[in-house]
Amino acid sequence: MDISPWPPLLVVDAEGNGATPPDLVEVAALPVRDGRPDTSTAGAWLINPPRPDTPFVARVHGLTSEILADSPTWQELADQVHSVLGNAWICGHNVHVDYRALKAHLPKWEPAGVIDTLRLARATYKGLPSYGLDTLINHIRPDLSAAPAHRHRATYDSYATAQILIAMADQYETWDQLIAVAVPPGMPGAPEPEKDATLW
């Protein structure tokens, strides 16, 4: 598929502190332009949460309270993040988690559409043992040599998800075909269901 006519698209990933509901500790927004991730204009923010990380999530992403202590609070960053996200399409792996977390923190924000690479992978690669990000990385073998940070950090995961999206897009001829399977029902950008013709 020719990616150049795609609408503005940001691959997003949000990491939380393990609280319920979660406070954000890292957000990444990586544009896809000209068929590749555009790290030169990516947004990446570390956030000092109002509640400390739980020990479990601190072990997963490595963002301890000590590391985040000097980072801005969400209140200081919210307008900047909202400005970068704008009304572009967003993409993520199991994206409803990131969408809901961002929407909870940015209630006035609404993307043009929401693409889920988990949903897309299930339609594109039948029969994989699972469809987690690690499984797809092992299956597709994208070039992650330029990925920042490490697995489970928002910057790395958004970069890996962008490469996986680009690889899967090659299996579809048009943008409309891709979003027909990649946008979860009820999410922004979901195609309208076809209505049965009524004979009068």
Side-chain angles (χ1 to χ4, degrees):
M1 182 198 305
D2 180 9
I3 292 178
S4 58
W6 281 12
L9 172 69
L10 296 164
V11 180
V12 300
D13 191 79
E15 299 294 336
N17 65 343
T20 304
D23 302 310
L24 298 177
V25 297
E26 186 179 27
V27 173
L30 177 63
V32 173
R33 293 192 178 98
D34 301 323
R36 64 182 187 276
D38 181 7
T39 56
S40 68
T41 61
W45 303 270
L46 290 177
I47 303 139
N48 186 2
R51 295 171 289 179
D53 283 356
T54 64
F56 174 76
V57 300
R59 286 194 300 271
V60 171
H61 52 52
L63 294 172
T64 63
S65 297
E66 291 75 19
I67 290 173
L68 297 169
D70 294 328
S71 298
T73 65
W74 178 253
Q75 287 73 20
E76 295 173 287
L77 291 172
D79 287 346
Q80 183 183 352
V81 176
H82 195 173
S83 177
V84 170
L85 294 175
N87 62 351
W89 279 74
I90 65 164
C91 171
H93 198 69
N94 202 15
V95 73
H96 74 277
V97 175
D98 304 284
Y99 172 72
R100 288 173 183 167
L102 288 168
K103 187 69 174 170
H105 286 77
L106 295 171
K108 295 182 179 180
W109 165 70
E110 190 69 16
V114 177
I115 290 175
D116 185 6
T117 49
L118 173 61
R119 182 179 177 86
L120 182 60
R122 286 173 172 157
T124 307
Y125 304 120
K126 305 289 188 181
L128 292 184
S130 75
Y131 292 91
L133 194 58
D134 289 321
T135 300
L136 293 175
I137 290 170
N138 289 332
H139 180 71
I140 298 171
R141 300 289 180 182
D143 180 6
L144 300 179
S145 59
H150 56 79
R151 180 73 174 92
H152 298 297
R153 286 286 303 274
T155 48
Y156 183 101
D157 289 0
S158 61
Y159 189 94
T161 300
Q163 295 286 46
I164 287 168
L165 171 66
I166 292 163
M168 289 192 290
D170 280 342
Q171 308 298 314
Y172 298 85
E173 293 183 2
T174 67
W175 168 260
D176 288 344
Q177 288 180 0
L178 185 145
I179 65 170
V181 296
V183 180
M187 286 282 192
E192 291 288 335
E194 293 185 7
K195 297 179 180 179
D196 293 334
T198 302
L199 298 178
W200 295 93

PDB file of all heavy atoms in Angstrom, residues 162-191:
ATOM      1  N   ALA A 162       4.844   1.232  15.415  1.00  0.00           N
ATOM      2  CA  ALA A 162       4.838   1.907  14.115  1.00  0.00           C
ATOM      3  C   ALA A 162       5.411   1.005  13.033  1.00  0.00           C
ATOM      4  O   ALA A 162       4.858   0.902  11.926  1.00  0.00           O
ATOM      5  CB  ALA A 162       5.617   3.213  14.189  1.00  0.00           C
ATOM      6  N   GLN A 163       6.507   0.324  13.325  1.00  0.00           N
ATOM      7  CA  GLN A 163       7.125  -0.564  12.338  1.00  0.00           C
ATOM      8  C   GLN A 163       6.218  -1.750  12.021  1.00  0.00           C
ATOM      9  O   GLN A 163       6.139  -2.203  10.870  1.00  0.00           O
ATOM     10  CB  GLN A 163       8.476  -1.058  12.863  1.00  0.00           C
ATOM     11  CG  GLN A 163       9.526   0.020  13.030  1.00  0.00           C
ATOM     12  CD  GLN A 163      10.105   0.498  11.700  1.00  0.00           C
ATOM     13  OE1 GLN A 163       9.377   0.766  10.752  1.00  0.00           O
ATOM     14  NE2 GLN A 163      11.412   0.622  11.645  1.00  0.00           N
ATOM     15  N   ILE A 164       5.534  -2.243  13.029  1.00  0.00           N
ATOM     16  CA  ILE A 164       4.607  -3.359  12.816  1.00  0.00           C
ATOM     17  C   ILE A 164       3.409  -2.910  11.982  1.00  0.00           C
ATOM     18  O   ILE A 164       2.947  -3.632  11.085  1.00  0.00           O
ATOM     19  CB  ILE A 164       4.185  -3.944  14.185  1.00  0.00           C
ATOM     20  CG1 ILE A 164       5.360  -4.727  14.788  1.00  0.00           C
ATOM     21  CG2 ILE A 164       2.946  -4.826  14.060  1.00  0.00           C
ATOM     22  CD1 ILE A 164       5.161  -5.108  16.231  1.00  0.00           C
ATOM     23  N   LEU A 165       2.885  -1.724  12.258  1.00  0.00           N
ATOM     24  CA  LEU A 165       1.785  -1.186  11.448  1.00  0.00           C
ATOM     25  C   LEU A 165       2.198  -1.064   9.990  1.00  0.00           C
ATOM     26  O   LEU A 165       1.449  -1.467   9.081  1.00  0.00           O
ATOM     27  CB  LEU A 165       1.369   0.182  11.983  1.00  0.00           C
ATOM     28  CG  LEU A 165       0.380   0.963  11.109  1.00  0.00           C
ATOM     29  CD1 LEU A 165      -0.977   0.261  11.049  1.00  0.00           C
ATOM     30  CD2 LEU A 165       0.228   2.402  11.613  1.00  0.00           C
ATOM     31  N   ILE A 166       3.373  -0.515   9.737  1.00  0.00           N
ATOM     32  CA  ILE A 166       3.849  -0.330   8.360  1.00  0.00           C
ATOM     33  C   ILE A 166       3.996  -1.677   7.658  1.00  0.00           C
ATOM     34  O   ILE A 166       3.618  -1.827   6.486  1.00  0.00           O
ATOM     35  CB  ILE A 166       5.173   0.446   8.370  1.00  0.00           C
ATOM     36  CG1 ILE A 166       4.924   1.892   8.836  1.00  0.00           C
ATOM     37  CG2 ILE A 166       5.831   0.434   7.004  1.00  0.00           C
ATOM     38  CD1 ILE A 166       6.177   2.625   9.264  1.00  0.00           C
ATOM     39  N   ALA A 167       4.509  -2.677   8.371  1.00  0.00           N
ATOM     40  CA  ALA A 167       4.657  -4.012   7.775  1.00  0.00           C
ATOM     41  C   ALA A 167       3.291  -4.611   7.433  1.00  0.00           C
ATOM     42  O   ALA A 167       3.114  -5.196   6.350  1.00  0.00           O
ATOM     43  CB  ALA A 167       5.419  -4.926   8.731  1.00  0.00           C
ATOM     44  N   MET A 168       2.331  -4.474   8.319  1.00  0.00           N
ATOM     45  CA  MET A 168       1.014  -5.047   8.060  1.00  0.00           C
ATOM     46  C   MET A 168       0.280  -4.288   6.966  1.00  0.00           C
ATOM     47  O   MET A 168      -0.533  -4.879   6.236  1.00  0.00           O
ATOM     48  CB  MET A 168       0.187  -5.078   9.349  1.00  0.00           C
ATOM     49  CG  MET A 168       0.677  -6.113  10.343  1.00  0.00           C
ATOM     50  SD  MET A 168      -0.482  -6.410  11.710  1.00  0.00           S
ATOM     51  CE  MET A 168      -0.340  -4.861  12.615  1.00  0.00           C
ATOM     52  N   ALA A 169       0.526  -2.994   6.833  1.00  0.00           N
ATOM     53  CA  ALA A 169      -0.149  -2.215   5.802  1.00  0.00           C
ATOM     54  C   ALA A 169       0.141  -2.743   4.408  1.00  0.00           C
ATOM     55  O   ALA A 169      -0.679  -2.580   3.491  1.00  0.00           O
ATOM     56  CB  ALA A 169       0.252  -0.740   5.907  1.00  0.00           C
ATOM     57  N   ASP A 170       1.292  -3.394   4.234  1.00  0.00           N
ATOM     58  CA  ASP A 170       1.630  -3.968   2.931  1.00  0.00           C
ATOM     59  C   ASP A 170       0.662  -5.068   2.510  1.00  0.00           C
ATOM     60  O   ASP A 170       0.607  -5.431   1.332  1.00  0.00           O
ATOM     61  CB  ASP A 170       3.049  -4.542   2.955  1.00  0.00           C
ATOM     62  CG  ASP A 170       4.108  -3.461   2.778  1.00  0.00           C
ATOM     63  OD1 ASP A 170       3.749  -2.357   2.312  1.00  0.00           O
ATOM     64  OD2 ASP A 170       5.280  -3.711   3.111  1.00  0.00           O
ATOM     65  N   GLN A 171      -0.101  -5.598   3.459  1.00  0.00           N
ATOM     66  CA  GLN A 171      -1.048  -6.671   3.156  1.00  0.00           C
ATOM     67  C   GLN A 171      -2.401  -6.136   2.672  1.00  0.00           C
ATOM     68  O   GLN A 171      -3.292  -6.921   2.361  1.00  0.00           O
ATOM     69  CB  GLN A 171      -1.266  -7.550   4.400  1.00  0.00           C
ATOM     70  CG  GLN A 171       0.006  -8.064   5.043  1.00  0.00           C
ATOM     71  CD  GLN A 171       0.807  -8.959   4.121  1.00  0.00           C
ATOM     72  OE1 GLN A 171       0.241  -9.849   3.475  1.00  0.00           O
ATOM     73  NE2 GLN A 171       2.113  -8.732   4.043  1.00  0.00           N
ATOM     74  N   TYR A 172      -2.535  -4.811   2.627  1.00  0.00           N
ATOM     75  CA  TYR A 172      -3.802  -4.189   2.247  1.00  0.00           C
ATOM     76  C   TYR A 172      -3.573  -3.222   1.094  1.00  0.00           C
ATOM     77  O   TYR A 172      -2.516  -2.594   0.998  1.00  0.00           O
ATOM     78  CB  TYR A 172      -4.427  -3.464   3.456  1.00  0.00           C
ATOM     79  CG  TYR A 172      -4.745  -4.413   4.582  1.00  0.00           C
ATOM     80  CD1 TYR A 172      -3.760  -4.759   5.511  1.00  0.00           C
ATOM     81  CD2 TYR A 172      -5.986  -5.013   4.682  1.00  0.00           C
ATOM     82  CE1 TYR A 172      -4.025  -5.667   6.527  1.00  0.00           C
ATOM     83  CE2 TYR A 172      -6.273  -5.908   5.698  1.00  0.00           C
ATOM     84  CZ  TYR A 172      -5.287  -6.239   6.619  1.00  0.00           C
ATOM     85  OH  TYR A 172      -5.543  -7.155   7.617  1.00  0.00           O
ATOM     86  N   GLU A 173      -4.560  -3.120   0.222  1.00  0.00           N
ATOM     87  CA  GLU A 173      -4.407  -2.282  -0.964  1.00  0.00           C
ATOM     88  C   GLU A 173      -4.741  -0.830  -0.699  1.00  0.00           C
ATOM     89  O   GLU A 173      -4.171   0.065  -1.341  1.00  0.00           O
ATOM     90  CB  GLU A 173      -5.299  -2.815  -2.099  1.00  0.00           C
ATOM     91  CG  GLU A 173      -4.858  -4.180  -2.631  1.00  0.00           C
ATOM     92  CD  GLU A 173      -5.714  -4.629  -3.799  1.00  0.00           C
ATOM     93  OE1 GLU A 173      -6.615  -3.873  -4.212  1.00  0.00           O
ATOM     94  OE2 GLU A 173      -5.484  -5.753  -4.296  1.00  0.00           O
ATOM     95  N   THR A 174      -5.656  -0.563   0.215  1.00  0.00           N
ATOM     96  CA  THR A 174      -6.100   0.808   0.445  1.00  0.00           C
ATOM     97  C   THR A 174      -6.228   1.085   1.940  1.00  0.00           C
ATOM     98  O   THR A 174      -6.355   0.169   2.767  1.00  0.00           O
ATOM     99  CB  THR A 174      -7.470   1.075  -0.216  1.00  0.00           C
ATOM    100  OG1 THR A 174      -8.474   0.295   0.459  1.00  0.00           O
ATOM    101  CG2 THR A 174      -7.444   0.736  -1.703  1.00  0.00           C
ATOM    102  N   TRP A 175      -6.229   2.376   2.247  1.00  0.00           N
ATOM    103  CA  TRP A 175      -6.467   2.828   3.625  1.00  0.00           C
ATOM    104  C   TRP A 175      -7.828   2.345   4.127  1.00  0.00           C
ATOM    105  O   TRP A 175      -7.955   1.889   5.266  1.00  0.00           O
ATOM    106  CB  TRP A 175      -6.381   4.350   3.657  1.00  0.00           C
ATOM    107  CG  TRP A 175      -6.868   5.009   4.906  1.00  0.00           C
ATOM    108  CD1 TRP A 175      -8.078   5.606   5.098  1.00  0.00           C
ATOM    109  CD2 TRP A 175      -6.154   5.164   6.141  1.00  0.00           C
ATOM    110  NE1 TRP A 175      -8.165   6.134   6.375  1.00  0.00           N
ATOM    111  CE2 TRP A 175      -7.000   5.871   7.026  1.00  0.00           C
ATOM    112  CE3 TRP A 175      -4.878   4.781   6.569  1.00  0.00           C
ATOM    113  CZ2 TRP A 175      -6.609   6.195   8.329  1.00  0.00           C
ATOM    114  CZ3 TRP A 175      -4.502   5.114   7.870  1.00  0.00           C
ATOM    115  CH2 TRP A 175      -5.354   5.802   8.727  1.00  0.00           C
ATOM    116  N   ASP A 176      -8.854   2.419   3.285  1.00  0.00           N
ATOM    117  CA  ASP A 176     -10.196   2.005   3.702  1.00  0.00           C
ATOM    118  C   ASP A 176     -10.239   0.531   4.058  1.00  0.00           C
ATOM    119  O   ASP A 176     -10.933   0.133   5.014  1.00  0.00           O
ATOM    120  CB  ASP A 176     -11.217   2.309   2.599  1.00  0.00           C
ATOM    121  CG  ASP A 176     -11.501   3.798   2.458  1.00  0.00           C
ATOM    122  OD1 ASP A 176     -11.154   4.550   3.393  1.00  0.00           O
ATOM    123  OD2 ASP A 176     -12.053   4.209   1.422  1.00  0.00           O
ATOM    124  N   GLN A 177      -9.502  -0.302   3.297  1.00  0.00           N
ATOM    125  CA  GLN A 177      -9.452  -1.721   3.636  1.00  0.00           C
ATOM    126  C   GLN A 177      -8.791  -1.943   4.988  1.00  0.00           C
ATOM    127  O   GLN A 177      -9.220  -2.784   5.789  1.00  0.00           O
ATOM    128  CB  GLN A 177      -8.693  -2.498   2.551  1.00  0.00           C
ATOM    129  CG  GLN A 177      -9.439  -2.658   1.244  1.00  0.00           C
ATOM    130  CD  GLN A 177      -8.626  -3.427   0.220  1.00  0.00           C
ATOM    131  OE1 GLN A 177      -7.499  -3.845   0.481  1.00  0.00           O
ATOM    132  NE2 GLN A 177      -9.188  -3.602  -0.969  1.00  0.00           N
ATOM    133  N   LEU A 178      -7.729  -1.188   5.250  1.00  0.00           N
ATOM    134  CA  LEU A 178      -7.009  -1.348   6.507  1.00  0.00           C
ATOM    135  C   LEU A 178      -7.879  -0.950   7.695  1.00  0.00           C
ATOM    136  O   LEU A 178      -7.997  -1.700   8.673  1.00  0.00           O
ATOM    137  CB  LEU A 178      -5.721  -0.533   6.473  1.00  0.00           C
ATOM    138  CG  LEU A 178      -4.778  -0.672   7.674  1.00  0.00           C
ATOM    139  CD1 LEU A 178      -3.330  -0.593   7.211  1.00  0.00           C
ATOM    140  CD2 LEU A 178      -5.036   0.399   8.727  1.00  0.00           C
ATOM    141  N   ILE A 179      -8.507   0.217   7.624  1.00  0.00           N
ATOM    142  CA  ILE A 179      -9.268   0.667   8.793  1.00  0.00           C
ATOM    143  C   ILE A 179     -10.538  -0.156   8.986  1.00  0.00           C
ATOM    144  O   ILE A 179     -11.069  -0.220  10.093  1.00  0.00           O
ATOM    145  CB  ILE A 179      -9.598   2.171   8.724  1.00  0.00           C
ATOM    146  CG1 ILE A 179     -10.532   2.497   7.561  1.00  0.00           C
ATOM    147  CG2 ILE A 179      -8.328   2.994   8.664  1.00  0.00           C
ATOM    148  CD1 ILE A 179     -11.073   3.924   7.620  1.00  0.00           C
ATOM    149  N   ALA A 180     -11.012  -0.809   7.918  1.00  0.00           N
ATOM    150  CA  ALA A 180     -12.204  -1.645   8.057  1.00  0.00           C
ATOM    151  C   ALA A 180     -11.974  -2.770   9.062  1.00  0.00           C
ATOM    152  O   ALA A 180     -12.914  -3.222   9.721  1.00  0.00           O
ATOM    153  CB  ALA A 180     -12.614  -2.223   6.703  1.00  0.00           C
ATOM    154  N   VAL A 181     -10.720  -3.224   9.188  1.00  0.00           N
ATOM    155  CA  VAL A 181     -10.421  -4.295  10.142  1.00  0.00           C
ATOM    156  C   VAL A 181      -9.659  -3.794  11.357  1.00  0.00           C
ATOM    157  O   VAL A 181      -9.610  -4.487  12.374  1.00  0.00           O
ATOM    158  CB  VAL A 181      -9.632  -5.444   9.473  1.00  0.00           C
ATOM    159  CG1 VAL A 181     -10.471  -6.109   8.403  1.00  0.00           C
ATOM    160  CG2 VAL A 181      -8.317  -4.955   8.891  1.00  0.00           C
ATOM    161  N   ALA A 182      -9.053  -2.604  11.284  1.00  0.00           N
ATOM    162  CA  ALA A 182      -8.144  -2.150  12.337  1.00  0.00           C
ATOM    163  C   ALA A 182      -8.785  -1.239  13.372  1.00  0.00           C
ATOM    164  O   ALA A 182      -8.215  -1.051  14.451  1.00  0.00           O
ATOM    165  CB  ALA A 182      -6.944  -1.430  11.714  1.00  0.00           C
ATOM    166  N   VAL A 183      -9.946  -0.656  13.073  1.00  0.00           N
ATOM    167  CA  VAL A 183     -10.583   0.265  14.019  1.00  0.00           C
ATOM    168  C   VAL A 183     -11.632  -0.501  14.823  1.00  0.00           C
ATOM    169  O   VAL A 183     -12.572  -1.058  14.257  1.00  0.00           O
ATOM    170  CB  VAL A 183     -11.241   1.448  13.286  1.00  0.00           C
ATOM    171  CG1 VAL A 183     -11.907   2.382  14.299  1.00  0.00           C
ATOM    172  CG2 VAL A 183     -10.209   2.209  12.463  1.00  0.00           C
ATOM    173  N   PRO A 184     -11.473  -0.550  16.148  1.00  0.00           N
ATOM    174  CA  PRO A 184     -12.460  -1.276  16.960  1.00  0.00           C
ATOM    175  C   PRO A 184     -13.842  -0.639  16.866  1.00  0.00           C
ATOM    176  O   PRO A 184     -13.960   0.592  16.777  1.00  0.00           O
ATOM    177  CB  PRO A 184     -11.894  -1.155  18.379  1.00  0.00           C
ATOM    178  CG  PRO A 184     -10.434  -0.855  18.201  1.00  0.00           C
ATOM    179  CD  PRO A 184     -10.353  -0.031  16.948  1.00  0.00           C
ATOM    180  N   PRO A 185     -14.890  -1.434  16.878  1.00  0.00           N
ATOM    181  CA  PRO A 185     -16.249  -0.878  16.846  1.00  0.00           C
ATOM    182  C   PRO A 185     -16.466   0.096  18.001  1.00  0.00           C
ATOM    183  O   PRO A 185     -16.018  -0.128  19.123  1.00  0.00           O
ATOM    184  CB  PRO A 185     -17.143  -2.120  16.996  1.00  0.00           C
ATOM    185  CG  PRO A 185     -16.292  -3.257  16.538  1.00  0.00           C
ATOM    186  CD  PRO A 185     -14.887  -2.907  16.905  1.00  0.00           C
ATOM    187  N   GLY A 186     -17.138   1.188  17.686  1.00  0.00           N
ATOM    188  CA  GLY A 186     -17.426   2.181  18.703  1.00  0.00           C
ATOM    189  C   GLY A 186     -16.334   3.194  18.937  1.00  0.00           C
ATOM    190  O   GLY A 186     -16.538   4.170  19.654  1.00  0.00           O
ATOM    191  N   MET A 187     -15.154   2.952  18.333  1.00  0.00           N
ATOM    192  CA  MET A 187     -14.050   3.897  18.474  1.00  0.00           C
ATOM    193  C   MET A 187     -14.128   4.955  17.370  1.00  0.00           C
ATOM    194  O   MET A 187     -14.713   4.713  16.305  1.00  0.00           O
ATOM    195  CB  MET A 187     -12.711   3.174  18.373  1.00  0.00           C
ATOM    196  CG  MET A 187     -12.333   2.361  19.593  1.00  0.00           C
ATOM    197  SD  MET A 187     -11.722   3.418  20.916  1.00  0.00           S
ATOM    198  CE  MET A 187     -11.051   2.184  22.023  1.00  0.00           C
ATOM    199  N   PRO A 188     -13.546   6.134  17.590  1.00  0.00           N
ATOM    200  CA  PRO A 188     -13.510   7.134  16.524  1.00  0.00           C
ATOM    201  C   PRO A 188     -12.893   6.576  15.247  1.00  0.00           C
ATOM    202  O   PRO A 188     -11.902   5.843  15.291  1.00  0.00           O
ATOM    203  CB  PRO A 188     -12.637   8.248  17.115  1.00  0.00           C
ATOM    204  CG  PRO A 188     -12.782   8.109  18.590  1.00  0.00           C
ATOM    205  CD  PRO A 188     -12.925   6.631  18.838  1.00  0.00           C
ATOM    206  N   GLY A 189     -13.513   6.895  14.108  1.00  0.00           N
ATOM    207  CA  GLY A 189     -13.000   6.447  12.824  1.00  0.00           C
ATOM    208  C   GLY A 189     -13.535   5.115  12.355  1.00  0.00           C
ATOM    209  O   GLY A 189     -13.220   4.681  11.239  1.00  0.00           O
ATOM    210  N   ALA A 190     -14.341   4.447  13.175  1.00  0.00           N
ATOM    211  CA  ALA A 190     -14.890   3.153  12.769  1.00  0.00           C
ATOM    212  C   ALA A 190     -15.829   3.350  11.585  1.00  0.00           C
ATOM    213  O   ALA A 190     -16.646   4.272  11.583  1.00  0.00           O
ATOM    214  CB  ALA A 190     -15.636   2.491  13.924  1.00  0.00           C
ATOM    215  N   PRO A 191     -15.696   2.500  10.556  1.00  0.00           N
ATOM    216  CA  PRO A 191     -16.594   2.634   9.401  1.00  0.00           C
ATOM    217  C   PRO A 191     -18.044   2.460   9.815  1.00  0.00           C
ATOM    218  O   PRO A 191     -18.360   1.665  10.709  1.00  0.00           O
ATOM    219  CB  PRO A 191     -16.140   1.497   8.468  1.00  0.00           C
ATOM    220  CG  PRO A 191     -14.754   1.154   8.913  1.00  0.00           C
ATOM    221  CD  PRO A 191     -14.725   1.412  10.395  1.00  0.00           C
TER     222      PRO A 191
END
